[in-house]
Amino acid sequence: MTSAKTLTIAISGASGSIYGFTLLKFFLANDYKVDFVISCNGEYVTFKEMGLDLRDLSIADKKNKILELLALEHKESNFKLWDQKNIAASIASGSYKSQGMIIAPCSVGSIGNIASGTSNNLITRAADVVLKERKKLVLLVREMPFNSIHLSNMKTISDCGGVILPAAPAFYHQPKTIQDQINFIVGKVLDQFDIDHDIFKRWRGDANILNDYLV
Ligand SMILES: Cc1cc2nc3c(=O)[nH]c(=O)nc-3n(C[C@H](O)[C@H](O)[C@H](O)COP(=O)(O)O)c2cc1C
């Protein structure tokens, strides 16, 4: 099986589930095969933030509800939803072919588990596998402020090749809406996989800065 256009997206219990769902929508809409996991805490925060209630549903019903939310029911065959407790999932094995994994948003709890290699659920196990196989792992961390434990855990993961991509929106692209801010962060994740997109306006350089601002 080829790894081209196959990747894993996970949503943990940090704030900002909308990032994960926006990424899921982008990849499914662009004909990627997506393995998807949402932690129990991620389900709770998603409910609080987006009103998406996945409680007490079977995996099949959760899957349908998510596809309905994204209006992507026709992409059903490319969307694999895994239970966060299912350590027998394909993505828990290094023999599974994929381009890598995105955790968006990523809690500092999951960061800690990845940094210490505890693999305490399918999300952190899959991330561990991606690191050991030297594939791309992008962690869209959302917390503030950071304590030294968070910072040293992030350094550990970065030293292993993981990309720490904080949910830190910029303003130079002149965002007008919350969706503009979400798109900026999502676009930065896509850049990590070298995927062409135009979901935010790139900085093109400013030749006049010398005249206007520099003394
Ligand atoms: C409403 C809400 C918002 C939260 N936001 C964050 C957050 O932004 N960052 C974070 O690291 N944890 C946040 N948490 C705490 C995590 O959900 C908690 O640490 C959880 O154990 C993470 O587990 P998981 O990484 O397995 O999903 C939040 C919890 C709640 C209830």
Side-chain angles (χ1 to χ4, degrees):
M1 188 186 139
T2 171
S3 63
K5 295 196 101 175
T6 301
L7 59 75
T8 302
I9 299 175
I11 291 181
S12 77
S15 183
S17 320
I18 188 68
Y19 294 122
F21 285 105
T22 306
L23 282 158
L24 177 62
K25 185 164 181 134
F26 176 91
F27 282 108
L28 286 179
N30 285 283
D31 296 324
Y32 278 73
K33 289 194 170 72
V34 179
D35 292 282
F36 189 73
V37 198
I38 179 165
S39 73
C40 295
N41 303 309
E43 283 193 13
Y44 176 76
V45 178
T46 295
F47 177 54
K48 289 289 158 190
E49 294 185 343
M50 298 176 62
L52 178 69
D53 192 354
L54 300 172
R55 259 173 309 182
D56 301 329
L57 297 180
S58 66
I59 279 282
D61 287 344
K62 284 183 188 182
K63 180 175 165 172
N64 290 338
K65 208 162 174 177
I66 291 168
L67 286 171
E68 198 181 311
L69 171 83
L70 305 178
L72 285 175
E73 290 94 332
H74 56 294
K75 299 288 184 180
E76 189 269 336
S77 61
N78 278 358
F79 178 47
K80 182 86 189 168
L81 176 65
W82 296 101
D83 190 303
Q84 71 139 23
K85 293 190 288 297
N86 187 355
I87 47 86
S90 56
I91 55 173
S93 168
S95 64
Y96 187 60
K97 300 281 246 177
S98 94
Q99 280 178 268
M101 178 175 187
I102 302 161
I103 307 183
C106 187
S107 74
V108 289
S110 283
I111 289 275
N113 284 312
I114 296 164
S116 59
T118 53
S119 298
N120 64 326
N121 63 24
L122 178 58
I123 295 178
T124 52
R125 167 63 187 168
D128 194 72
V129 164
V130 167
L131 286 180
K132 87 182 172 71
E133 299 298 331
R134 305 291 194 264
K135 290 182 187 147
K136 193 94 178 178
L137 177 66
V138 177
L139 305 179
L140 207 167
V141 186
R142 220 266 13 136
E143 187 50 281
M144 63 172 65
F146 292 124
N147 63 33
S148 300
I149 300 168
H150 306 149
L151 292 168
S152 72
N153 284 337
M154 287 191 276
K155 176 161 187 323
T156 300
I157 294 170
S158 180
D159 289 346
C160 286
V163 175
I164 304 296
L165 195 151
F171 293 88
Y172 59 80
H173 59 117
Q174 301 183 336
K176 303 284 184 297
T177 62
I178 292 177
Q179 191 62 54
D180 289 342
Q181 292 293 53
I182 295 166
N183 287 351
F184 178 80
I185 301 293
V186 164
K188 296 293 274 186
V189 175
L190 299 178
D191 284 353
Q192 286 299 316
F193 289 86
D194 209 15
I195 293 170
D196 286 335
H197 68 83
D198 57 0
I199 70 172
F200 67 76
K201 206 165 74 187
R202 290 183 189 280
W203 180 253
R204 302 277 178 210
D206 183 357
N208 294 324
I209 191 167
L210 286 175
N211 303 333
D212 294 347
Y213 290 100
L214 297 187
V215 285

